[in-house]
Amino acid sequence: MPPYTDRLLSLPEYPLAKIPEQKRELIARGVDVIDLGAGDADLSPPPAVIDRISAAVRIPTMSRYGFALGLMEYREAVVRFMKRRFGQDFHPIKEIVPLIGSKEGISHLAFAYLNKGDYSIVPEPGYNAYLGGTLLAEGIPYKYPLRPDNGFLVDLDEIPSDVLQKTKVLYLNYPNNPTSAVAPKDYLEDVVRRCKELDILLVYDNAYSELAYDGYVPPSIFEIPGARDVAIEFHSMSKTYNMTGGAAAGRAERRNSLALWRR
Ligand SMILES: Cc1ncc(COP(=O)(O)O)c(C=O)c1O
């Protein structure tokens, strides 16, 4: 067997892969375990979804390749969600991408925006796909420690300027997993302005946009003026609807990706 690539070997161990094994061992030893591992919903998807999917498996076209388009009705549903929830308009074909889960998009995005040696800013602790995507794309993750003293926010002014100059991607996730911090509007305005100045793509992971308490309503990054110039936003079904699936929204790409493909 040939050896693994350096890319694969650059990945750190995935803690969530080890936790089930450790859990089994502890339970076998009689320990009363509270599982704070993978945030996988333990509730069922909405009954209407189960009914619809059960019926859909009998529709012949449902087992065909979706190609990049996927199901048009899904794109349109995402457009309606972005409008209803955040007041933002998107074009279903040019500005929405259906995903099997937001992780799919978040981890693959690095291949589109990081050349070998480019930096991404990866908040720590944070969702592993930011790190994994960057490493597999041969980018360099700049791990930014989230701290309680600054509200678990990423302060770009604390990052060395030689790193910022080579940074192509900033991953942000608010409401944040695992700290549960939220980002004030003036902070997001500042980040959008800085990303524009520095020509950094802001990857706004909004997986928890629908899980908020005490009257707080998480925004979309696109509610911030200028965000369309610098940001892509990811949404997840697994957190909101207890089922896999997701989507990304962002400004239509000026370059035609099919033209790039044919080059
Ligand atoms: C912060 C964050 N982003 C994204 C995801 C990925 O969610 P999914 O791929 O299920 O849409 C998760 C899952 O735990 C997460 O915690």
Side-chain angles (χ1 to χ4, degrees):
M1 286 268 276
Y4 291 132
T5 60
D6 294 343
R7 274 192 300 276
L8 187 71
L9 292 173
S10 72
L11 291 177
E13 262 189 0
Y14 189 45
L16 294 183
K18 286 195 106 185
I19 285 173
E21 188 189 315
Q22 289 167 341
K23 182 177 155 186
R24 260 194 309 276
E25 277 169 23
L26 289 171
I27 290 174
R29 278 198 266 133
V31 179
D32 182 16
V33 175
I34 298 173
D35 187 348
L36 300 176
D40 197 7
D42 58 358
L43 302 171
S44 299
V49 174
I50 294 178
D51 289 348
R52 198 69 190 95
I53 290 176
S54 313
V57 289
R58 299 196 182 282
I59 302 172
T61 50
M62 289 296 162
S63 51
R64 304 270 160 76
Y65 285 138
F67 293 100
L69 182 66
L71 193 66
M72 192 57 197
E73 287 88 341
Y74 181 68
R75 286 175 181 259
E76 284 163 351
V78 176
V79 167
R80 285 196 299 277
F81 168 76
M82 295 301 287
K83 180 69 177 178
R84 184 177 71 241
R85 191 44 191 79
F86 308 112
Q88 299 297 311
D89 290 301
F90 286 91
H91 187 283
I93 295 181
K94 293 185 193 156
E95 298 183 318
I96 298 293
V97 178
L99 298 167
I100 54 176
S102 62
K103 183 180 197 174
E104 180 205 4
I106 291 169
S107 43
H108 284 134
L109 176 130
F111 288 93
Y113 283 93
L114 296 181
N115 280 316
K116 190 171 182 168
D118 287 339
Y119 277 85
S120 72
I121 296 168
V122 174
E124 257 204 347
Y127 188 51
N128 245 345
Y130 315 144
L131 186 69
T134 299
L135 291 171
L136 289 175
E138 298 183 83
I140 307 173
Y142 181 87
K143 295 181 189 170
Y144 181 93
L146 297 181
R147 305 183 313 271
D149 61 275
N150 70 351
F152 301 106
L153 300 172
V154 174
D155 182 353
L156 289 178
D157 292 333
E158 288 178 3
I159 297 172
S161 63
D162 57 320
V163 171
L164 279 184
Q165 271 160 23
K166 288 190 238 151
T167 296
K168 298 288 178 335
V169 170
L170 164 64
Y171 299 98
L172 285 189
N173 161 231
Y174 298 104
N176 182 259
N177 176 18
T179 67
S180 82
V182 296
K185 199 166 171 236
D186 57 348
Y187 168 78
L188 293 176
E189 285 165 356
D190 196 50
V191 169
V192 165
R193 185 181 55 76
R194 295 284 278 133
C195 283
K196 203 165 185 171
E197 273 169 20
L198 295 159
D199 205 17
I200 293 175
L201 174 69
L202 172 53
V203 175
Y204 200 74
D205 177 0
N206 215 345
Y208 296 93
S209 69
E210 306 313 295
L211 294 183
Y213 305 94
D214 303 329
Y216 176 72
V217 182
S220 161
I221 194 66
F222 296 116
E223 290 174 52
I224 305 298
R228 293 220 182 200
D229 295 333
V230 295
I232 179 167
E233 180 163 284
F234 287 92
H235 284 275
S236 168
M237 304 276 233
S238 58
K239 318 301 165 194
T240 310
Y241 301 109
N242 310 317
M243 58 192 212
T244 51
R251 185 198 72 192
E253 188 44 82
R254 292 202 183 102
R255 284 178 304 177
N256 179 340
S257 56
L258 267 183
L260 284 174
W261 170 259
R262 292 203 189 103
R263 258 201 329 206

